[in-house]
Amino acid sequence: PGGGGGRVADTSRAAAIKRKCQAQSRFKLMLYAMASLIMILIAALSIHFTRDSGDSQEPDTPTQPNQPVQNARSGALEALATLKAARGANWVQDPILTYKAIQELPHDSNAFTQGLEYYEGKFIESTGIILRSSLREVEILTGVILQKISLGPEHFGEGCTVFNGKIYQITWRTNTCFVYDAQAFVQTGTFTYSGEGWGITHDATRLIMSDGSSTIKFRDPDTFQVLGQIAVTDPLTGQEVTQLNELEYVDGEIWSNIWHSDLIARIDPSTGNVVGYLDMSDIHPARSSSGLGEDVLNGIAYYQAEDRLWVTGKLWPSVWEIEVMPKL
């Protein structure tokens, strides 16, 4: 009898162990399923290439652009071709500036540059792409990232500027401007706005912001309220100049990258008239196949006290210090 009871107990224990193993297997399968779902969601977000590109934390390069982005890119290129055709011979006669390269400096080639600013001997840089947007403090000569603040996963970082000790960083479609203490490099507040955010700079009293159209808005730095606006127009053609992207205030003019072109428009802030263009077509590095055509010129930094100017682009391996001169 005792031996029979032992066998029954052993059988019961074996059954219990089997049930426990089955439960553990089901739990592991559930965890694997959840992990797979999360990975699918991350992959879906990475394919959301948005206006400039989409991305995930890995890999470090943009994914294939979706149709709306391809349409936007085609529209930008067609608009530029139309502008050139309308200007005709004046395209190379009216004040077109070129440049002399002073020095080439290293730049993070994974940085999808949306804004570049000189501040106290360093660059302040805003980068885009979903899940990898950031604000960075960068050492100019080495390209080393000294400090970095990552944006939330819903934000696509756009332009940035430093004004009165504050860094303003805008976002593309989440209608948010982040405000940081420039010395401490910590966020201190936010503003909200309507419409898209592309580029931002400032003059002596106002913030100056683009939204990808031909409109540039002037904003109060304390409230972010709109104080006024201009429509940017090429006076030789009478056509509005659209796709205005990253901005910089240079010697009394608003300079704007034109998305998907190697031109920088020089804009009179009082009238909106384009007074000339800076042709940067020769400075572009060898295009990366991983850039999918989005590794375009974007990023202008100006140090007024020493009249120094730097340019870069999205996913570029270099920042160039340049000297501007008339194009012969």
Side-chain angles (χ1 to χ4, degrees), residues 108-175:
D108 179 7
S109 59
N110 290 318
F112 202 78
T113 305
Q114 301 286 57
L116 190 68
E117 186 89 349
Y118 176 92
Y119 178 67
E120 294 191 348
K122 298 179 287 289
F123 286 141
I124 303 297
E125 183 175 15
S126 175
T127 69
I129 293 183
I130 295 296
L131 296 177
R132 213 174 70 224
S133 294
S134 67
L135 183 74
R136 304 172 175 200
E137 183 183 69
V138 180
E139 190 171 63
I140 292 178
L141 292 179
T142 66
V144 170
I145 301 169
L146 303 174
Q147 298 188 76
K148 177 180 174 181
I149 299 173
S150 296
L151 301 190
E154 72 275 24
H155 294 297
F156 193 117
E158 289 285 343
C160 66
T161 195
V162 185
F163 184 52
N164 285 342
K166 298 178 181 179
I167 304 172
Y168 298 82
Q169 181 188 29
I170 57 176
T171 56
W172 179 32
R173 283 184 167 174
T174 44
N175 314 114

Side-chain angles (χ1 to χ4, degrees), residues 10-176:
D10 289 342
T11 302
S12 298
R13 283 195 296 271
I17 292 171
K18 182 178 180 180
R19 288 194 298 271
K20 183 177 180 181
C21 289
Q22 289 173 339
Q24 289 176 338
S25 296
R26 287 194 295 270
F27 181 70
K28 288 180 180 179
L29 287 173
M30 183 177 68
L31 288 179
Y32 291 150
M34 291 176 64
S36 298
L37 179 60
I38 291 171
M39 293 302 294
I40 290 170
L41 289 173
I42 291 174
L45 283 171
S46 73
I47 295 172
H48 179 61
F49 199 87
T50 63
R51 169 176 64 82
D52 290 309
S53 171
D55 204 356
S56 62
Q57 290 176 320
E58 291 183 11
D60 286 332
T61 53
T63 57
Q64 182 64 35
N66 57 28
Q67 192 59 44
V69 172
Q70 291 174 335
N71 292 342
R73 180 189 299 129
S74 297
L77 296 175
E78 289 172 6
L80 182 62
T82 300
L83 178 61
K84 288 183 176 180
R87 275 182 158 241
N90 287 324
W91 180 252
V92 293
Q93 293 174 3
D94 186 58
I96 302 291
L97 300 178
T98 186
Y99 67 94
K100 173 184 177 183
I102 303 299
Q103 62 176 331
E104 180 181 7
L105 303 166
H107 180 248
D108 179 7
S109 59
N110 290 318
F112 202 78
T113 305
Q114 301 286 57
L116 190 68
E117 186 89 349
Y118 176 92
Y119 178 67
E120 294 191 348
K122 298 179 287 289
F123 286 141
I124 303 297
E125 183 175 15
S126 175
T127 69
I129 293 183
I130 295 296
L131 296 177
R132 213 174 70 224
S133 294
S134 67
L135 183 74
R136 304 172 175 200
E137 183 183 69
V138 180
E139 190 171 63
I140 292 178
L141 292 179
T142 66
V144 170
I145 301 169
L146 303 174
Q147 298 188 76
K148 177 180 174 181
I149 299 173
S150 296
L151 301 190
E154 72 275 24
H155 294 297
F156 193 117
E158 289 285 343
C160 66
T161 195
V162 185
F163 184 52
N164 285 342
K166 298 178 181 179
I167 304 172
Y168 298 82
Q169 181 188 29
I170 57 176
T171 56
W172 179 32
R173 283 184 167 174
T174 44
N175 314 114
T176 303

Side-chain angles (χ1 to χ4, degrees), residues 218-328:
F218 301 94
R219 293 182 178 273
D220 187 311
D222 295 322
T223 65
F224 219 66
Q225 294 299 307
V226 177
L227 303 174
Q229 63 183 50
I230 53 175
V232 177
T233 304
D234 187 315
L236 290 185
T237 66
Q239 295 179 350
E240 293 187 350
V241 180
T242 62
Q243 309 293 329
L244 301 175
N245 205 355
E246 211 265 332
L247 304 178
E248 184 71 14
Y249 196 74
V250 180
D251 199 21
E253 299 175 349
I254 302 170
W255 287 25
S256 175
N257 288 118
I258 302 175
W259 185 42
H260 276 284
S261 88
D262 293 322
L263 294 174
I264 295 174
R266 299 167 44 229
I267 303 161
D268 183 337
S270 62
T271 64
N273 286 339
V274 174
V275 298
Y277 296 90
L278 174 58
D279 183 358
M280 302 295 301
S281 56
D282 295 333
I283 204 169
H284 200 298
R287 289 190 179 275
S288 166
S289 59
S290 63
L292 297 173
E294 294 301 320
D295 49 344
V296 295
L297 179 73
N298 202 50
I300 312 166
Y302 181 61
Y303 180 30
Q304 183 177 7
E306 296 184 4
D307 194 29
R308 298 176 69 184
L309 189 67
W310 297 266
V311 297
T312 191
K314 303 175 185 182
L315 308 176
W316 283 22
S318 304
V319 173
W320 292 89
E321 182 176 1
I322 62 169
E323 178 184 334
V324 174
M325 59 188 63
K327 187 170 185 177
L328 302 177

